Amino acid sequence: MYEYDDYDHALVHERVAQFRDQVQRRLSGELSEEEFLPLRLQNGLYMQKHAYMLRVAIPYGTLSAEQLRCLAAIAREYDRDYGHFTTRQNIQFNWIELEQVPDILARLAEVQMHAIQTSGNCVRNITTEAFAGVAADELLDPRPLAEILRQWSTVNPEFLFLPRKFKIALCSAIEDRAAIQMHDIGLYLYQGDAGQMLLRVMVGGGLGRTPILSQQIRDGLPWQHVLSYVEAILRVYNRHGRRDNKYKARIKILVKALGIEAFAAEVEREWQHLKDGPAELTDTEYQRVASAFVPPAYESLPVVDLEYGSHLAQHLGFERWVQRNVKAHKVPGYASVVLSTKPGAALPPGDVTSAQMEAVADWAERFGFGEIRIAHEQNIVLPDVRKRDLFALWQAACEQGLGTANIGLLSDIIACPGGDYCSLANAKSIPIAQGIQAHFDDLDYLHDIGELSLNISGCMNACGHHHIGNIGILGVDKNGSEWYQITLGGAQGQHAALGKVIGPSFAAEQVPQVIERIVQTFTDYREHQERFVDTVQRIGLEPFKERVYRTQEVA
Amino acid sequence: MNKLIRLVDGLPVIESADPTLAIVPLAQWQAGEGLLLGPDDDVESLQPLLADVAMIAIDFPSFRDGRGYSQAYLLRRRLGWQGELRAVGDVLRDQLSHMRQCGFDSFAVRADKSVEDAVKGLAGVSVLYGRSAIEPRPLFRRR
């Protein structure tokens, strides 16, 4: 993991002092709420329905055991004993007092963490996939460039008041698990014929009110130019992006208005001034950062572990968990484990208690190298577990309520906090997730249905990424009451697609039955072991619509 | 009218603005006057005029409108503007350090705010990872 040096330490500590002063000035009335708003947002502090919410950055989803323990302590001492992992690999605390925020930030700074730019119209947390550095299908390690971009974008004075928020994601595996096509800038890192690191640059993706997948602006960009090229894109966007309407202010609208060719030409013109200048990355800097991500001291293990094999044969529950929650690792004898934060109707997706966080930190040390990842699906990943330890980990995870064998299944619901917390929401998300989870609580049935992503957003801002869920649910407001619109066929990854609306929306209590009908249609039409999304693509929406609306009362 | 903060050899000085200097928008500007730029003005087309410009003021209609930062950067780094570059409009304490980094060297703080108080905002944080108009080398070249 990247370790802070004196510069990094100085920055987060000075930033805490700066924010402490700003909070003081807000409390004394010297700063108006309007003036304070962007300052607090750039420190991750939102005002929600009931209290302040603090969003803490987890750079590219990577945490140490010590950092996770600090998050657990913050949840216990300043919140209601739990935190919420988000779809951008961060963590949110929902019940925060403004007066305490500087102290919380000081605690975070002690463990090399911060909340800088987790909100606001600036470059947000740089994301990559949760299996970076360990995935069996990885091309190159995306983390050094993610860290370099994190540093470059942090308090970059020219780009703190962009037209709108700006999200950058990086991926370097055969399967795109970082969903780069739905980001303002998506960077796909790969190796050229001569072994050099190259980037495919995608621009103008985003969900929200106008969901658009990004388009390629440049291919074969040598890695040394990543900062100057991103700077060129940001300068063009900062100057020309719309500021008259917040719903038309994302870079995707600018790219669409100009057309990708004209936008690319504008970026190219700007970049000609920057390339080969001081922003060009050096080998020294790359090596400095990359040295923080060298592989840990893996043991030389046999590919087949007999004890592991016999546990698999004896315990159906374990076998199932391995099938869904254990992912291939590039080192023989090791695996990556996904701990599900979606045990079912009892708890909101992504919510994790202090005790659970502490348990995960212990497992990371006991079974791995002290590292934890947060996936954008809101689950927790232990990247390096010996196969022979999987059984013990599974037992411990089950005891803590983190052992549900449902990764990638219908009950592994991705949901934003919704109307229970969020002041932007049109409708609640959590009760919808719980209703579906209560209906689909039979693990056998879920495993039979197979891979199926279900995403719920409580409003158009699409924090639950409903557009790219195989089944997407969007909360809408109709004359003051909450309704839910359903989309089908969304997908993330290399075959990313935006879901299509099936028809009129439903009341909350109808949703589980609607999902049941969609699933029944799928199982009727499914060929062999076809995945849900493939069936939808093959047969189209009609059979689903026909079944769902057959006798359904709709408003 | 509020006083100005000016950077003299990098250090802030509070002084009164010169009342005789006209600062006018591009459309009305004449040689010898100060030039007032709005966020929509294209700074790259100003090159032929710069020799006759007394000073440049960039307007921030709202402190949340960040176009002035890029305009300042371009004036300093690409057009080589060496004269006074003043931030005017919704200019507040907590943005002054960013403005300074982007090349502004004078600040007309919003009239209802204390200039003496706003000066405290110039320092900002000491670490700049990326680069700026006044420090074109990113931290990795200085680290």
Side-chain angles (χ1 to χ4, degrees), chain A residues 8 14 25 158 278 280, chain B residues 70 93-94 113 126 129 141:
Chain A
D8 306 303
E14 287 178 33
R25 286 189 283 139
E158 189 181 340
E280 184 177 326
Chain B
S70 287
R93 167 176 167 173
D94 294 287
K113 296 286 181 180
S126 66
Y129 280 121
R141 292 187 183 273

Side-chain angles (χ1 to χ4, degrees), chain A residues 327-388:
Chain A
K327 306 293 172 188
H329 197 288
K330 55 166 75 157
V331 178
Y334 283 85
S336 296
V337 168
V338 188
L339 300 166
S340 173
T341 69
K342 293 93 180 262
L347 284 169
D351 278 11
V352 175
T353 66
S354 302
Q356 286 178 320
M357 288 186 227
E358 282 159 355
V360 172
D362 290 346
W363 302 336
E365 285 170 342
R366 189 171 140 208
F367 300 117
F369 298 94
E371 198 175 315
I372 300 107
R373 310 284 179 83
I374 306 305
H376 78 80
E377 292 90 350
Q378 304 174 287
N379 292 312
I380 303 171
V381 172
L382 294 178
D384 306 293
V385 181
R386 284 176 297 255
K387 282 186 180 169
R388 81 162 82 101

Side-chain angles (χ1 to χ4, degrees), chain A residues 64 125 139 261 370 444 543:
Chain A
S64 68
N125 186 28
L139 310 172
E261 287 82 17
D444 289 329

Side-chain angles (χ1 to χ4, degrees), chain A residues 485-501:
Chain A
Q485 190 182 72
I486 311 266
T487 49
L488 290 182
Q492 66 173 58
Q494 300 289 20
H495 304 286
L498 301 169
K500 294 192 183 76
V501 178

Side-chain angles (χ1 to χ4, degrees), chain A residues 62-309:
Chain A
T62 299
L63 281 169
S64 68
E66 183 197 22
Q67 290 172 327
L68 188 55
R69 286 194 185 98
C70 178
L71 295 175
I74 289 169
R76 184 170 291 131
E77 290 168 44
Y78 299 96
D79 202 309
R80 298 188 179 175
D81 215 25
Y82 69 94
H84 174 78
F85 289 110
T86 76
T87 53
R88 286 192 48 76
Q89 304 180 292
N90 291 321
I91 187 168
Q92 295 181 177
F93 296 109
N94 287 308
W95 306 92
I96 295 295
E97 302 285 346
L98 176 60
E99 293 82 345
Q100 294 182 322
V101 174
D103 293 340
I104 298 173
L105 295 179
R107 294 276 291 266
L108 291 169
E110 290 302 319
V111 294
Q112 309 187 14
M113 294 187 85
H114 60 75
I116 299 169
Q117 289 167 229
T118 54
S119 178
N121 294 334
C122 49
V123 181
R124 304 287 190 87
N125 186 28
I126 311 293
T127 56
T128 185
E129 66 155 303
F131 303 99
V134 298
D137 69 340
E138 184 166 274
L139 310 172
L140 293 161
D141 190 340
R143 293 171 299 170
L145 286 185
E147 173 60 27
I148 286 168
L149 278 162
R150 180 192 77 79
Q151 296 190 11
W152 176 85
S153 60
T154 299
V155 204
N156 188 321
E158 189 181 340
F159 304 124
L160 291 170
F161 292 92
L162 297 170
R164 197 78 179 84
K165 58 188 170 184
F166 202 90
K167 300 173 179 179
I168 303 176
L170 196 67
C171 154
S172 186
I174 291 169
E175 192 55 46
D176 168 20
R177 286 172 292 262
I180 65 166
Q181 277 193 273
M182 42 170 272
H183 285 77
D184 296 281
I185 294 180
L187 299 167
Y188 189 74
L189 178 69
Y190 62 97
Q191 220 158 18
D193 293 336
Q196 74 280 38
M197 284 200 298
L198 299 175
L199 291 154
R200 183 173 306 138
V201 184
M202 313 284 290
V203 70
L207 298 178
R209 194 164 291 236
T210 316
I212 301 177
L213 297 175
S214 61
Q215 301 178 69
Q216 184 175 313
I217 180 168
R218 192 176 188 97
D219 199 7
L221 182 75
W223 64 272
Q224 293 90 339
H225 298 299
V226 66
L227 297 182
S228 62
Y229 200 78
V230 170
E231 180 176 328
I233 293 174
L234 275 170
R235 186 162 298 124
V236 169
Y237 171 55
N238 192 37
R239 295 176 68 194
H240 303 296
R242 282 181 65 171
R243 291 175 187 264
D244 58 326
N245 179 340
K246 81 179 255 197
Y247 300 112
K248 298 194 184 301
R250 293 281 293 270
I251 197 172
K252 62 192 173 186
I253 304 293
L254 179 66
V255 173
K256 203 174 154 201
L258 292 176
I260 186 69
E261 287 82 17
F263 181 79
E266 194 69 26
V267 170
E268 186 67 24
R269 202 167 67 84
E270 176 61 32
W271 187 54
Q272 287 308 318
H273 294 286
L274 307 174
K275 69 183 284 232
D276 308 323
E280 184 177 326
L281 269 170
T282 59
D283 275 317
T284 314
E285 174 65 358
Y286 186 83
Q287 292 308 329
R288 182 186 78 84
V289 177
S291 68
F293 299 102
V294 292
Y298 291 115
E299 292 169 44
S300 172
L301 298 170
V303 182
V304 181
D305 186 276
L306 287 178
E307 202 183 337
Y308 165 66

